[in-house]
Structure formats: C-alpha cells, structure tokens
Amino acid sequence: MISATTKIYGIVGRPLGHSLSPLLQNSLARATDTDMIYVAFHVSENIETAINGAFELGISGFNVTVPFKTDMLKLIEKIEKKAKKIGAVNTLVRGETGYIGYNTDITGLEMSLGNNGMSVKNKNVILLGAGGAAKSALCLAIENQAKTVTVINRNIKKAEKLKEEFSRIYTAIEVLSLDAVKKNIGLLKYDDYFVFQTTSVGMYPNVNDCIIENSKFYKKCDAGIDLIYTPFETVFIKNMQDQGRKCINGLDMLILQGVASFELWNGIKVNREIIENIKKMLLKDLREKMK
Ligand code: NAP
C-alpha cells in the first residue's frame, strides 16, 4: 500500500518504453516487503534540472541509463571509486546533501560470469564495441587480470579513446577496426579469446543482424557473453554455439545489476530464490513483448 512514507525510486533516461527496470525493482520490493515504488522518468532534455528537482522532492534514488550515464558524473558531488574508474554512473543513492553515484553494471556483469562458471583471469579478451557497456567489460577484464584485451570497433577513434583512458592502469590493450578484422581474421593473434559482445547489433527488432558473420572469427573464441537480452539468443550466440563455444546472454547481468542497486538503496541482501523467481517472471514478460 502506497502511503506518505513510501520511498520513491526511478530510472532516468530516454527512451524508456521497453525498460524492464520498473518491473524488476517493483517485484524486488514486493518480494522483500520493502515500502517503495519505482517508476520510469523519461528525461527529454535537461538532466541537471531533473536531478536537482528530484533531490528537492525527496526522491530516494535512481538508476541511470542511456544517454546520461557519463553526463551524470558532472552533476553529482560524490562518486564511488569504481564508478569513477569506469567513468559512468548507473545508480544514484540519496546522501545528506546530494546523490552519490555508483556503477552496478560491472557488479552485474561479474556476477553473471561467475554464476555461469566463466572467468577472464589470464585470458585473452576481445571487446566487440567501445561504448558504455564496453567500458564496464574493460574494467572487469583489467580487475580480473585478463592477459590481453583487443578492442574491436566500427569507429576506431572511439576504441583508441578507450585505450587511452585506461593506459595508465593497463598496457596490454590493442585496438582494431571492425572493418579490418572482417577483412582479415588473421589480425587476431590468439585462438582462445573470451569475447564480450557489447555492441547493439542483433538487438530486437534487428534480430537477424550480427556484428561478425565469418565463422573463422568464432573458431578463435573459447567462450563469451553477448550483453543483449532481446532476443535471448542472438545470431552472435548461435554462431558461437555452432562452433561449440559457450556463450551466455545479458539477462543475468541486467537482473544482477538491478539487484545490486536495490541492495545499495535498501541495505539488504536479496536471496537467490527471489532472484530466480523474478528471472522467470521477466522471461515471461520478454517473451510476450517479442511476440
Ligand atoms: P553505446 O554506448 O551506444 O555503444 C554502442 C556500441 O555498438 C558502439 O561500440 C557502436 O559502435 C556499436 N554499434 C552500434 N551499431 C553498430 C553497427 N551497426 N555496426 C557496428 N557497430 C555498431 O551503447 P552501450 O550502452 O554500450 O550498450 C550496448 C549494448 O549493450 C546494447 O545492446 C545494450 O542493450 C547492451 N547492454 C546490456 C546491459 C545488460 O545489463 N545486459 C547493460 C548495458 C548495456 P560505434 O562506436 O562505431 O558507433
């Protein structure tokens, strides 16, 4: 029951029409008997005004999504160490005088790999993409002592910028253009890559698209994750499986980053059974949406 003391949370971004976060967070609140509601705030223009106003209104916290994850760094007074390192914020927790920024994307990604028996320790890693999600994957690879990281992106300048940003803490980064790799798979030096597919290619409704079609690419990979979760099985995942490679989708990451935000806001630990039940419900909802 909503009352005068019910805490209000939400997600800021645009577009939000397909966001699963309201369903996820409100289900977590119900399952843990937490007095909160969570709504989608479509911010069309001025995020600074929106966040300042929200603080004055007493809103307890936010998830932050595209296109505000980086801009948010300039708008809040305190940023947790990991979010600062990644250069992106996806969670705001209300503090005394303003919001404090966190990044739970990397937590969600790390836990989803762990839950599926995957690790990048001592591995040669490929990042397909150089956007916000690639940044989280790069941080994770560095923190988990990947041997090398090869960033492959359509826009090579963006990949070079990513390399430059992390060059102080990690030097084993190589950058390749997507076009060059498509023309010559031999540019990839190893045969055992762990690959993070972090581009939006193959995402609903463009479900027949794939970032790289050449089967030689998949032969060079050992295992991987496609961060997309609509559809559950992208052409990229199918191509990996056709070569006998294990590849998971991004649904666990999505759920686990949301759970990590919920835990930060409420200071509680969500148990595994609740997470599994919510996963089943989200799967049902996604299947309906994709019909
Ligand atoms: P972003 O910052 O906009 O980056 C998009 C990336 O995709 C860029 O590297 C871009 O390359 C590449 N790309 C887009 N269209 C392309 C095309 N036609 N051909 C080649 N490359 C293309 O987006 P993001 O925030 O990193 O998100 C990327 C994906 O990850 C999305 O599908 C998103 O849903 C997913 N994601 C999932 C989770 C999860 O919890 N599972 C969390 C975060 C993100 P250019 O630089 O060349 O444009």
Side-chain angles (χ1 to χ4, degrees):
M1 188 70 167
I2 296 171
S3 73
T5 55
T6 301
K7 288 189 171 162
I8 302 169
Y9 292 85
I11 179 165
V12 283
R14 69 164 186 266
L16 291 176
H18 286 91
S19 174
L20 285 177
S21 294
L23 183 58
L24 169 62
Q25 296 297 340
N26 288 313
S27 303
L28 283 168
R30 237 185 337 268
T32 56
D33 211 10
T34 302
D35 186 17
M36 65 173 263
I37 56 159
Y38 183 102
V39 284
F41 294 107
H42 177 109
V43 179
S44 49
E45 199 73 28
N46 196 332
I47 185 68
E48 186 168 9
T49 308
I51 290 301
N52 290 340
F55 191 79
E56 290 304 316
L57 287 170
I59 294 184
S60 299
F62 289 99
N63 281 130
V64 182
T65 187
V66 179
F68 301 124
K69 283 186 182 184
T70 309
D71 293 354
M72 198 54 75
L73 292 170
K74 293 176 249 151
L75 305 182
I76 50 176
E77 51 181 33
K78 245 169 118 181
I79 301 152
E80 179 256 357
K81 223 168 79 194
K82 206 174 263 184
K84 205 179 261 175
K85 202 155 111 187
I86 301 171
V89 157
N90 82 326
T91 304
L92 301 183
V93 176
R94 191 180 176 85
E96 290 280 311
T97 53
Y99 292 109
I100 304 159
Y102 291 80
N103 192 309
T104 65
D105 278 339
I106 188 168
T107 317
L109 183 55
E110 189 164 29
M111 286 174 75
S112 76
L113 294 189
N115 289 354
N116 286 284
M118 293 170 153
S119 160
V120 295
K121 194 174 163 96
N122 292 325
K123 298 264 169 70
N124 296 302
V125 166
I126 284 179
L127 295 188
L128 290 169
K135 236 180 190 181
S136 290
L138 179 54
C139 262
L140 177 104
I142 295 172
E143 271 189 9
N144 287 269
Q145 295 148 32
K147 210 193 285 176
T148 66
V149 177
T150 304
V151 185
I152 302 171
N153 200 42
R154 177 178 60 178
N155 177 345
I156 184 103
K157 288 210 169 83
K158 251 165 93 180
E160 276 160 0
K161 191 162 169 264
L162 199 60
K163 173 178 171 170
E164 165 81 35
E165 268 176 54
F166 286 84
S167 58
R168 272 184 304 107
I169 55 168
Y170 190 79
T171 53
I173 304 180
E174 187 186 3
V175 161
L176 293 170
S177 90
L178 179 62
D179 256 359
V181 173
K182 278 182 174 172
K183 282 184 195 136
N184 181 11
I185 298 290
L187 289 173
L188 301 173
K189 296 180 193 139
Y190 307 105
D191 295 306
D192 60 350
Y193 287 103
F194 185 95
V195 55
F196 291 89
Q197 198 307 98
T198 76
T199 75
S200 42
V201 181
M203 192 164 78
Y204 182 84
N206 304 311
V207 297
N208 295 320
D209 293 353
C210 182
I211 190 80
I212 294 183
E213 288 290 358
N214 192 337
S215 62
K216 284 186 194 153
F217 173 82
Y218 299 91
K219 289 196 170 89
K220 285 191 161 276
C221 300
D222 191 34
I225 174 170
D226 188 336
L227 267 61
I228 293 172
Y229 49 87
T230 53
F232 307 122
E233 207 176 79
T234 55
V235 175
F236 180 86
I237 293 182
K238 284 184 194 137
N239 286 343
M240 286 285 280
Q241 288 169 347
D242 284 350
Q243 298 304 324
R245 279 30 173 189
K246 181 171 175 175
C247 189
I248 60 170
N249 67 23
L251 186 62
D252 278 357
M253 174 184 173
L254 173 87
I255 295 171
L256 294 166
Q257 60 80 29
V259 168
S261 300
F262 183 89
E263 289 178 342
L264 274 173
W265 292 326
N266 296 299
I268 57 170
K269 190 99 194 103
V270 180
N271 72 43
R272 218 170 234 272
E273 195 189 338
I274 290 177
I275 296 174
E276 282 309 313
N277 286 338
I278 286 176
K279 184 174 173 180
K280 278 185 207 143
M281 191 199 55
L282 288 181
L283 276 168
K284 200 169 149 223
D285 183 76
L286 279 170
R287 282 202 179 101
E288 287 295 319
K289 279 189 178 139
M290 275 187 290
K291 265 183 192 164

